[in-house]
Amino acid sequence: KQEVTQIPAALSVPEGENLVLNCSFTDSAIYNLQWFRQDPGKGLTSLLLIQSSQREQTSGRLNASLDKSSGRSTLYIAASQPGDSATYLCAFYNQGGKLIFGQGTELSVKP
Amino acid sequence: DVKVTQSSRYLVKRTGEKVFLECVQDMDHENMFWYRQDPGLGLRLIYFSYDVKMKEKGDIPEGYSVSREKKERFSLILESASTNQTSMYLCASSLWSSGVSYEQYFGPGTRLTVT
């Protein structure tokens, strides 16, 4: 069964800290991997998409890496801000084009 | 920018009612998807569609049906709503080319409560 695990489930940090969110997956034959942000009661906002041939993607203060051989991806957030508080979801595309989601990491950045 | 819209943000229905959730995308995407999201269970795929009038079951299709009469619109139907269908429903769309499914774009979600 294809699964995605995100650790930790919840994280609270003071403003300004750099932080890393972890994602591991069981299927090394993934195609692409995508990180999403979800605010309470809202839909999903795509943050970064890493193609299967890529190792990382960067957007502003965000950097996502992908290591297919070890089945891991990380999302690095630099200089965290209270506005970064949200749930972050990791998901990979399997061979059939379906998205397999993790349970998410709930991030709280304290002012 | 890709835009995926859902007909309602919040919906309250009674047990046994027939419920329609509508999703519209404006980027001529071939693929459209319906998910539900529940605490502790994450996002689960209900149905998806690769083309007009085509549909495929996802992981939890029981109690649901779908309709795709036009490329831009994908409807989720609860034939007889039950309380265990209270959930957040999310629609998504993506391109499909040469057997590859591309990045999915999500709508804002519909919070459905069945009483």
Side-chain angles (χ1 to χ4, degrees), chain A residues 2-3 7 10-11 36 52 55 61 72 76-77 83 97:
Chain A
Q2 296 169 321
E3 290 184 348
I7 295 172
L11 181 63
F36 295 90
S52 61
R55 295 297 299 270
R61 294 183 294 109
R72 294 181 187 277
Y76 175 82
I77 303 177

Side-chain angles (χ1 to χ4, degrees), chain A residues 34 38 41 43 46 93 96 103, chain B residues 9 37 40 42 50 88 103-104 108:
Chain A
Q34 193 165 0
Q38 186 175 31
S46 178
Y93 290 83
Q103 293 280 345
Chain B
R9 290 298 313 278
Q37 184 178 29
Y50 288 129
M88 169 71 97
E103 181 178 3
Q104 290 188 23

Side-chain angles (χ1 to χ4, degrees), chain B residues 25-66:
Chain B
Q25 51 92 6
D26 66 357
M27 284 302 291
D28 203 33
H29 284 172
E30 288 80 13
N31 296 346
M32 296 190 75
F33 306 83
W34 275 107
Y35 297 87
R36 66 176 281 177
Q37 184 178 29
D38 302 285
L41 296 176
L43 277 97
R44 293 177 291 169
L45 182 64
I46 306 171
Y47 266 99
F48 60 102
S49 169
Y50 288 129
D51 203 349
V52 175
K53 297 192 185 295
M54 292 183 64
K55 60 184 179 183
E56 295 284 341
K57 292 181 180 179
D59 300 318
I60 51 163
E62 296 79 18
Y64 303 94
S65 62
V66 291

Side-chain angles (χ1 to χ4, degrees), chain A residues 21-78:
Chain A
L21 307 181
N22 296 292
C23 172
S24 61
F25 44 90
T26 56
D27 188 350
S28 62
I30 69 168
Y31 276 70
N32 301 331
L33 187 136
Q34 193 165 0
W35 282 91
F36 295 90
R37 169 186 173 137
Q38 186 175 31
D39 293 289
K42 303 288 180 64
L44 274 63
T45 300
S46 178
L47 296 173
L48 291 163
L49 173 73
I50 308 177
Q51 308 277 357
S52 61
S53 59
Q54 296 175 323
R55 295 297 299 270
E56 66 177 337
Q57 279 285 337
T58 298
S59 176
R61 294 183 294 109
L62 305 179
N63 176 275
S65 67
L66 174 61
D67 184 343
K68 291 175 65 176
S69 61
S70 66
R72 294 181 187 277
S73 176
T74 61
L75 179 67
Y76 175 82
I77 303 177

